[in-house]
Amino acid sequence: MKTCLIVDDSSVIRKVARRILEGLEFEILEAEDGEQALDACRRQLPEAILLDWNMPKMDGYEFLRSLRRLPGGDAPRVVFCTTENDVAQIARALHAGANEYIMKPFDKDIVEAKFQEVGLI
Amino acid sequence: MTPQDFDYLRKLLRDRSGLVLSAEKQYLAESRLLPVARRHGLGTLADLVAKLKTPVPALANEVVEAMTTNETFFFRDKIPFDHVRDTIMPALIAARAREKRIRIWCTAASTGQEPYSLSMVLTNFRAQLSGYRVDILATDLSGEVLERAKTGIYSQFEVQRGLPIQLLVKYFNKVGESWQIAQDMRDMVQFRPLNLLNDFSPLGMFDLVFCRNVLIYFDQPTKTAVLNRLVRQMPDDGYLVLGAAETVVGLTDAFKPIHDKRGLYEPNRDARASFAIADIGSRFAAKR
Ligand SMILES: C[S@@+](CC[C@H](N)C(=O)[O-])C[C@H]1O[C@@H](n2cnc3c(N)ncnc32)[C@H](O)[C@@H]1O
């Protein structure tokens, strides 16, 4: 079973995402911000990360840049999941090493399509 | 709705679009056609059927369009588009080196995601295609979906189903809350209404035909007839792509599956030769 780390400061979003991803056979870890997420990744790198952009402490963009510098940190497939939906923002995320990008609001079809796109399912 | 009215609607749909509505789909007809009736100031489906019988061809078209399923998305099923990139385009570019012309036809294009997916795939071949003329013709029974397709505007939901994010960034512009595919992608596709039950021989020959997720709505004889007419619009080295749930097997030997390439078919030369002989035979018979 693959592991997915869900990083979002909203417990509601984490719950919705958890339900969808458990349905897609992922084991779920959760983090409320970039710092917590980075700690989790230092302990154990997940196969997948669903990542919010705007969060207190460390935002998704900063987290991603730090993650990619960790040993083995280029392995996890990172899918942004955010309300940011400008072309420039998306391009910035891709440049920082995001593999896919979901614009909120999302549903199961979108998550499934995007996870398929990056070879997670 | 009385059984007679439902039968009338089923026959109308079948005659005009090939759509076969099974008896248990009455609820579907009711939910989709009541809004049409209301738009015309008619209270019930019985009133709608009565009006259709007068007859009103424009209203009949509206009824048919309301009953079609237009669901589609970018790079649907993915594999066919990999075939286009890895197998079909390289082969066609080589085979058409003299004519320098390649014609592609999406026979049930709906809101345009399929032909635009093809135009995005074709951009991978810009260098090899320089000096070539490539046409993508996109047709559909429904004029309404084609009007949407022409605008190239899609909702945030639609661009997130099947379209890799890199392609969204590369080929789309944000227009308000929606996304519009770039002008040069739109320029590659020509949209035109066309009913597959009608004669399409004036469209000419096509090297690649996408006929996906439309035959599934037809009965067997209609599927066979459409496939047998499609093969006449294709050269021997052309390619036919069907939907994931569709096949030619058991319907016609005009096409044969391409080994190891799911969903991909080619005109069957042997069958074509025997068709031609049968044709000559029948002409002789007619003369005598
Ligand atoms: C489910 S969509 C398929 C769209 C696309 N080819 C795909 O696979 O995603 C089916 C389309 O077939 C069209 N259609 C139904 N009957 C047709 C007919 N007799 N001739 C041409 N198009 C037809 C409908 O209007 C609808 O847009």
Side-chain angles (χ1 to χ4, degrees):
Chain A
M1 215 183 201
K2 288 181 179 159
T3 306
C4 180
L5 174 64
I6 299 173
V7 192
D8 203 304
D9 55 340
S10 151
S11 60
V12 176
I13 298 277
R14 289 201 305 274
K15 200 166 154 192
V16 173
R18 172 188 275 274
R19 198 170 302 150
I20 291 174
L21 285 162
E22 280 178 347
L24 297 170
E25 309 273 290
F26 282 87
E27 193 177 314
I28 303 301
L29 300 170
E30 294 186 19
E32 291 175 23
D33 56 48
E35 268 182 25
Q36 276 189 15
L38 207 53
D39 283 345
C41 288
R42 285 203 184 97
R43 282 194 297 274
Q44 188 213 334
L45 285 169
E47 276 88 5
I49 301 176
L50 190 75
L51 182 62
D52 187 18
W53 195 304
N54 296 304
M55 292 175 293
K57 293 204 183 144
M58 185 189 280
D59 73 11
Y61 181 79
E62 281 308 316
F63 161 77
L64 178 56
R65 288 169 43 110
S66 312
L67 168 76
R68 293 308 192 202
R69 279 190 232 113
L70 290 182
D74 50 358
R77 313 271 88 194
V78 175
V79 178
F80 257 104
C81 183
T82 164
T83 48
E84 302 292 338
N85 58 9
D86 271 8
V87 179
Q89 292 281 69
I90 300 172
R92 222 173 128 226
L94 291 176
H95 191 246
N99 299 98
E100 257 298 344
Y101 199 102
I102 293 171
M103 296 175 274
K104 289 175 182 167
F106 59 96
D107 65 5
K108 180 172 182 288
D109 285 347
I110 291 178
V111 173
E112 192 169 354
K114 294 295 187 180
F115 272 57
Q116 253 165 17
E117 193 54 48
V118 295
L120 282 163
I121 31 183
Chain B
M1 185 164 27
T2 65
Q4 289 83 350
D5 284 350
F6 186 50
D7 282 346
Y8 179 87
L9 287 171
R10 283 169 73 189
K11 182 166 183 323
L12 179 126
L13 285 171
R14 195 197 176 116
D15 292 349
R16 287 187 166 248
S17 72
L19 181 78
V20 178
L21 200 60
S22 57
E24 64 275 18
K25 289 281 173 66
Q26 182 160 336
Y27 73 92
L28 189 73
E30 283 170 354
S31 70
R32 292 204 183 166
L33 295 182
L34 260 177
V36 177
R38 301 241 163 83
R39 272 207 299 278
H40 289 264
L42 305 163
T44 66
L45 289 186
D47 297 338
L48 180 72
V49 170
K51 180 105 183 220
L52 282 167
K53 285 180 179 164
T54 46
V56 190
L59 183 60
N61 281 344
E62 239 180 276
V63 164
V64 170
E65 290 201 6
M67 289 308 299
T68 58
T69 299
N70 305 118
E71 199 201 19
T72 182
F73 34 94
F74 288 104
F75 295 98
R76 182 173 195 170
D77 301 334
K78 196 154 183 289
I79 295 168
F81 298 93
D82 293 344
H83 289 334
V84 173
R85 187 194 57 207
D86 302 335
T87 308
I88 300 176
M89 281 313 291
L92 287 177
I93 288 171
R96 300 292 177 269
R98 200 136 39 90
E99 305 90 318
K100 291 207 179 326
R101 178 136 198 233
I102 295 172
R103 298 189 75 220
I104 301 172
W105 179 20
C106 286
T107 64
S110 189
T111 39
Q113 284 90 331
E114 185 176 87
Y116 288 139
S117 298
L118 284 170
S119 64
M120 287 185 270
V121 171
L122 289 187
T123 58
N124 293 311
F125 296 94
R126 259 192 191 135
Q128 290 114 292
L129 283 173
S130 99
Y132 281 66
R133 178 168 163 196
V134 182
D135 300 318
I136 304 176
L137 177 68
T139 62
D140 198 283
L141 168 86
S142 161
E144 200 177 314
V145 290
L146 291 177
E147 284 312 311
R148 262 207 67 202
K150 274 186 215 167
T151 68
I153 298 176
Y154 298 96
S155 71
Q156 185 166 293
F157 183 78
E158 288 169 320
V159 296
Q160 300 207 78
R161 270 184 92 187
L163 185 66
I165 193 69
Q166 289 82 0
L167 297 186
L168 180 75
V169 172
K170 199 164 168 194
Y171 295 115
F172 286 74
N173 298 304
K174 213 170 158 213
V175 186
E177 286 305 301
S178 305
W179 294 81
Q180 183 172 38
I181 194 161
Q183 184 72 52
D184 54 341
M185 293 295 108
R186 274 180 279 149
D187 289 345
M188 289 171 74
V189 184
Q190 212 203 333
F191 291 96
R192 196 192 299 181
L194 180 109
N195 186 339
L196 284 172
L197 299 193
N198 296 342
D199 178 24
F200 43 67
S201 59
L203 296 179
M205 300 293 278
F206 294 93
D207 305 294
L208 168 58
V209 176
F210 266 59
C211 183
R212 299 200 310 152
N213 303 303
V214 60
L215 295 179
I216 34 171
Y217 301 107
F218 300 165
D219 61 16
Q220 292 247 352
T222 310
K223 288 181 202 192
T224 302
V226 171
L227 288 167
N228 287 345
R229 286 190 296 120
L230 275 179
V231 79
R232 294 192 203 147
Q233 308 307 123
M234 297 172 61
D236 279 346
D237 60 354
Y239 296 89
L240 170 72
V241 181
L242 297 181
E246 295 161 327
T247 179
V248 304
V249 177
L251 292 172
T252 175
D253 56 4
F255 291 97
K256 58 178 186 214
I258 297 183
H259 183 63
D260 265 356
K261 305 264 186 281
R262 230 183 77 208
L264 204 56
Y265 301 84
E266 61 187 350
N268 187 353
R269 265 172 250 194
D270 306 335
R272 200 189 287 241
S274 64
F275 274 163
I277 290 165
D279 227 29
I280 293 168
S282 64
R283 254 181 274 157
F284 263 115
K287 264 191 190 152
R288 265 189 284 154

Tab-separated table of all heavy atoms in Angstrom, chain B residues 38 59 64 82 84 112 133 161 182 257:
chain	number	residue	atom	x	y	z
B	38	ARG	N	-41.200	22.295	-21.784
B	38	ARG	CA	-41.479	23.554	-21.084
B	38	ARG	C	-40.983	24.754	-21.885
B	38	ARG	O	-41.668	25.766	-21.963
B	38	ARG	CB	-40.795	23.545	-19.709
B	38	ARG	CG	-41.263	22.404	-18.828
B	38	ARG	CD	-41.932	22.899	-17.542
B	38	ARG	NE	-42.715	21.816	-16.947
B	38	ARG	CZ	-42.187	20.862	-16.156
B	38	ARG	NH1	-40.898	20.901	-15.836
B	38	ARG	NH2	-42.947	19.907	-15.664
B	59	LEU	N	-38.036	21.110	-33.749
B	59	LEU	CA	-38.319	20.573	-32.420
B	59	LEU	C	-37.782	19.135	-32.310
B	59	LEU	O	-37.229	18.739	-31.283
B	59	LEU	CB	-39.826	20.602	-32.159
B	59	LEU	CG	-40.277	20.144	-30.781
B	59	LEU	CD1	-39.666	21.001	-29.679
B	59	LEU	CD2	-41.802	20.157	-30.669
B	64	VAL	N	-33.752	15.271	-30.132
B	64	VAL	CA	-32.613	14.370	-30.343
B	64	VAL	C	-31.396	14.888	-29.579
B	64	VAL	O	-30.711	14.130	-28.880
B	64	VAL	CB	-32.306	14.235	-31.854
B	64	VAL	CG1	-30.987	13.508	-32.057
B	64	VAL	CG2	-33.434	13.494	-32.553
B	82	ASP	N	-1.500	8.080	-26.913
B	82	ASP	CA	-0.132	7.553	-26.964
B	82	ASP	C	0.099	6.866	-28.311
B	82	ASP	O	1.170	7.010	-28.905
B	82	ASP	CB	0.115	6.550	-25.824
B	82	ASP	CG	0.095	7.226	-24.447
B	82	ASP	OD1	0.204	8.468	-24.400
B	82	ASP	OD2	-0.033	6.509	-23.439
B	84	VAL	N	-1.318	7.620	-31.105
B	84	VAL	CA	-1.181	8.673	-32.121
B	84	VAL	C	0.244	9.205	-32.112
B	84	VAL	O	0.873	9.358	-33.156
B	84	VAL	CB	-2.190	9.821	-31.877
B	84	VAL	CG1	-1.912	10.979	-32.840
B	84	VAL	CG2	-3.620	9.328	-32.048
B	112	GLY	N	-15.443	19.169	-27.882
B	112	GLY	CA	-14.152	19.533	-28.471
B	112	GLY	C	-12.904	19.009	-27.776
B	112	GLY	O	-11.802	19.146	-28.305
B	133	ARG	N	0.405	19.922	-44.761
B	133	ARG	CA	-0.872	20.480	-44.357
B	133	ARG	C	-1.622	19.413	-43.555
B	133	ARG	O	-1.823	18.296	-44.039
B	133	ARG	CB	-1.676	20.876	-45.593
B	133	ARG	CG	-3.010	21.410	-45.216
B	133	ARG	CD	-3.724	22.067	-46.358
B	133	ARG	NE	-5.112	22.174	-45.987
B	133	ARG	CZ	-6.092	22.425	-46.830
B	133	ARG	NH1	-5.831	22.616	-48.099
B	133	ARG	NH2	-7.327	22.494	-46.396
B	161	ARG	N	-9.760	17.205	-15.743
B	161	ARG	CA	-10.005	15.785	-15.987
B	161	ARG	C	-9.243	15.355	-17.219
B	161	ARG	O	-9.701	15.564	-18.331
B	161	ARG	CB	-11.494	15.529	-16.178
B	161	ARG	CG	-12.186	15.214	-14.872
B	161	ARG	CD	-13.612	14.871	-15.100
B	161	ARG	NE	-13.818	13.449	-15.273
B	161	ARG	CZ	-14.984	12.935	-15.630
B	161	ARG	NH1	-16.011	13.712	-15.881
B	161	ARG	NH2	-15.118	11.636	-15.739
B	182	ALA	N	-5.611	27.967	-26.592
B	182	ALA	CA	-4.988	29.031	-27.385
B	182	ALA	C	-5.511	29.063	-28.819
B	182	ALA	O	-5.907	28.031	-29.376
B	182	ALA	CB	-3.475	28.843	-27.385
B	257	PRO	N	-8.397	-5.451	-36.100
B	257	PRO	CA	-7.657	-4.885	-34.964
B	257	PRO	C	-6.163	-4.903	-35.254
B	257	PRO	O	-5.683	-5.831	-35.902
B	257	PRO	CB	-7.975	-5.830	-33.806
B	257	PRO	CG	-9.114	-6.678	-34.253
B	257	PRO	CD	-9.112	-6.688	-35.745
